Amino acid sequence: MLDPIRIRNDFPIFRRMIDGKEIIYLDNAATTQKPYQVVEAIKDYYENFNSNVHRGIYRLSEESTDMYERARKNISEFIGSRDPRSLVFVRNTTEALNLVASSLGKSLASGDEILLTEMEHHSNIVPWQFLKDKGVKVQFARINENGTLSIEDFKSKINQKTKIVSVTHVSNVLGTINDVKELGKIAHENGSLYVVDGAQSVPHMPIDVTDIDCDFFAFSGHKMLGPMGIGGLYGKIDLLENMPPYMGGGDMISSVTKEGATWNSVPHKFEAGTPNVADAVGLSAAVDYLRKIGMDEIRKHEMDLILYALQEEHYIEGLRSFGPKSIHIRAGVYSFNIGDIPAFNLEKEMEQSGVKISRDAIHPHDVASLINGEGISIRSGHHCAMPLMDKLNVQATARASFYLYNTREEVDKFFIGLNDAIMRFRQ
Ligand code: PMP
């Protein structure tokens, strides 16, 4: 069984007190804290190995290149890839998805369709919307009342025009875990390419891209104990080899003449310019750390925390939480509102037609700000998922999200803090 108290000792930030209070960090869906093992790996790289990769024929450059490529191998194995060449280093999930959309988009034509879901993060919506200029249509599979994806609607929206299906593995608002293997089968039977946004899954559960059989898989290092500014795009080798590059520059070419250029082999074709070697090394250290604790253990721990939160929520008057209630299809993301926070357009409509809006509601920004006073960090807003907010008929939600260093005691403190905040607000 994972021991969050012992794990916390590895995280220097938890030694810090804010206004005399210990930090209760419940914003892990936004970014995670870093253990000293990761901080040390980055420091060690800059102190002992720093030099540019793939170019120098001197000791430091050879060592640096070796560290960078070993990091690639380690991280690609962590997500279940059988070949390190399938992992392109990028800055984050956003860049990974932009790369795929931009590169695959070049071969799309007017009338082609992309199928997404209503629970996507903006980074899995906007890059596809860029293709609208070419006449490409972006479709959204509906979600059910309980926050799960409607498979019937998904199936009804996939057709011969659907060239790409791109879905999130885990919703950063609802915590819903999509059956990405099943969705991939449907996509492939239809002849569509299949992309998975793994930003909220890789950090929290065992991932095997080979078993999922996705064509592309995107993730961010900073959400899995690694540094900011490094992430990964997994792609099947034959697909990557046949795709046009995303950015041009040094390292991604094989040769350049005044007339044109030929491309380097995969994955270098997609890594133009000096890469983020230190943070690749840092992310590799994060992967070692997670592997040592065990991804199954992390998933079990988070299931326990979300189960506990779903039990405790009943004590809070006026609380409405979002997402599936079954912990088997639910990650450690807990979005909620206190009272009704209707969407802006609905609020106006309701007022105009004389429907009374409950003024007992507390805006999620106020909720987050009030419990910040207790040393508790949660997020509020639209969570970069505005189409989902529309679907839920809310302007915004508050969100607590858990990780391996959070405890049941912290969940208790969160609900006690929330209750106190509500009392103070209504006084
Ligand atoms: N997809 C999902 C589901 C996310 O939760 C996030 C981050 N909130 C992203 C994509 C984008 O990640 P990044 O900002 O690291 O690019």
Side-chain angles (χ1 to χ4, degrees):
M1 204 50 194
L2 172 161
D3 180 359
I5 305 286
R6 207 181 53 74
I7 285 171
R8 289 174 84 81
N9 291 333
D10 289 333
F11 291 74
I13 205 162
F14 292 129
R15 284 188 225 129
R16 197 180 152 191
M17 308 280 270
I18 295 183
D19 297 332
K21 297 193 177 84
E22 281 181 10
I23 296 173
I24 299 184
Y25 185 76
L26 302 178
D27 194 18
N28 294 288
T31 200
T32 57
Q33 299 304 340
K34 320 301 174 200
Y36 76 85
Q37 288 88 338
V38 169
V39 179
E40 284 300 321
I42 298 167
K43 186 165 168 272
D44 178 52
Y45 173 79
Y46 278 126
E47 286 181 353
N48 296 302
F49 300 96
N50 179 54
S51 60
N52 215 329
V53 290
H54 298 146
R55 285 168 216 176
I57 314 174
Y58 53 90
R59 180 73 173 266
L60 280 180
S61 179
E62 280 166 4
E63 285 174 353
S64 184
T65 303
D66 188 45
M67 288 170 88
Y68 184 57
E69 294 306 330
R70 266 191 288 136
R72 191 192 307 278
K73 183 166 185 291
N74 193 27
I75 298 161
S76 69
E77 280 169 5
F78 182 70
I79 58 162
S81 165
R82 308 280 189 267
D83 186 339
R85 291 178 306 148
S86 65
L87 183 71
V88 179
F89 278 124
V90 288
R91 280 188 301 140
N92 46 36
T93 305
T94 304
E95 188 171 76
L97 293 169
N98 273 277
L99 190 164
V100 177
S102 163
S103 181
L104 290 180
K106 294 209 169 79
S107 58
L108 297 186
S110 181
D112 285 345
E113 293 185 9
I114 314 279
L115 179 59
L116 313 176
T117 78
E118 285 180 334
M119 66 174 96
E120 299 310 318
H121 186 278
H122 294 165
S123 62
N124 196 26
I125 300 175
V126 183
W128 303 110
Q129 286 174 336
F130 287 163
L131 303 173
K132 281 188 167 182
D133 291 347
K134 299 186 83 172
V136 171
K137 213 164 143 193
V138 180
Q139 303 276 29
F140 292 86
R142 272 209 312 272
I143 59 166
N144 298 311
E145 277 297 306
N146 68 356
T148 56
L149 181 70
S150 163
I151 302 294
E152 295 84 67
D153 196 60
F154 181 86
K155 283 184 179 160
S156 78
K157 287 189 173 133
I158 191 164
N159 59 60
Q160 285 318 301
K161 288 182 268 172
T162 313
K163 295 293 180 285
I164 301 165
V165 172
S166 188
V167 300
T168 192
H169 195 168
V170 172
S171 161
N172 64 317
V173 175
L174 304 167
T176 311
I177 304 174
N178 285 315
D179 186 346
V180 282
K181 198 169 166 181
E182 186 55 31
L183 297 176
K185 271 192 205 133
I186 301 171
H188 284 151
E189 273 162 22
N190 188 64
S192 314
L193 286 172
Y194 182 51
V195 185
V196 178
D197 171 353
Q200 298 293 349
S201 62
V202 181
H204 303 284
M205 57 194 67
I207 295 294
D208 187 337
V209 289
T210 309
D211 181 54
I212 294 171
D213 191 28
C214 50
D215 297 312
F216 301 95
F217 191 96
F219 60 100
S220 298
H222 70 96
K223 292 183 197 285
M224 50 191 287
L225 310 182
M228 290 180 175
I230 190 83
L233 173 69
Y234 159 86
K236 284 185 180 159
I237 302 279
D238 54 332
L239 293 171
L240 289 175
E241 271 169 353
N242 287 307
M243 282 159 62
Y246 175 51
M247 283 200 274
D251 245 22
M252 53 75 70
I253 50 87
S254 165
S255 74
V256 184
T257 64
K258 284 182 184 159
E259 283 69 42
T262 55
W263 315 137
N264 199 344
S265 56
V266 164
H268 310 294
K269 178 170 80 172
F270 294 105
E271 293 181 1
T274 299
N276 187 352
V277 183
D279 290 330
V281 170
L283 179 54
S284 184
V287 158
D288 289 341
Y289 187 91
L290 290 170
R291 203 184 266 130
K292 204 162 149 210
I293 305 240
M295 294 312 292
D296 277 320
E297 291 301 308
I298 293 172
R299 171 74 185 124
K300 267 191 242 156
H301 178 66
E302 290 179 22
M303 280 169 96
D304 179 65
L305 294 179
I306 195 72
L307 177 70
Y308 191 55
L310 291 171
Q311 286 164 356
E312 294 291 287
E313 69 177 5
H314 301 294
Y315 297 107
I316 309 289
E317 213 188 298
L319 183 144
R320 174 189 173 205
S321 71
F322 302 91
K325 300 289 179 217
S326 162
I327 59 165
H328 301 289
I329 51 164
R330 172 78 179 255
V333 179
Y334 182 76
S335 289
F336 65 97
N337 271 336
I338 304 298
D340 274 336
I341 310 286
F344 289 115
N345 58 341
L346 274 189
E347 193 169 36
K348 237 186 240 144
E349 239 174 67
M350 285 162 84
E351 262 165 6
Q352 277 162 5
S353 55
V355 179
K356 215 171 146 277
I357 299 172
S358 156
R359 293 296 164 202
D360 275 354
I362 309 178
H363 194 280
H365 287 329
D366 292 325
V367 172
S369 159
L370 284 161
I371 79 164
N372 172 49
E374 309 294 323
I376 303 170
S377 313
I378 63 163
R379 186 148 290 245
S380 56
H382 53 62
H383 314 294
C384 296
M386 289 174 96
L388 178 57
M389 295 294 115
D390 283 349
K391 173 73 184 190
L392 301 173
N393 276 330
V394 295
Q395 289 162 28
T397 76
R399 181 187 73 190
S401 49
F402 311 127
Y403 209 9
L404 71 174
Y405 37 62
N406 293 125
T407 62
R408 273 192 173 216
E409 287 67 38
E410 288 182 320
V411 179
D412 270 337
K413 284 184 184 160
F414 158 67
F415 280 113
I416 291 167
L418 188 58
N419 205 32
D420 289 352
I422 296 169
M423 303 286 213
R424 270 185 285 133
F425 190 82
R426 294 200 174 137
Q427 255 168 22

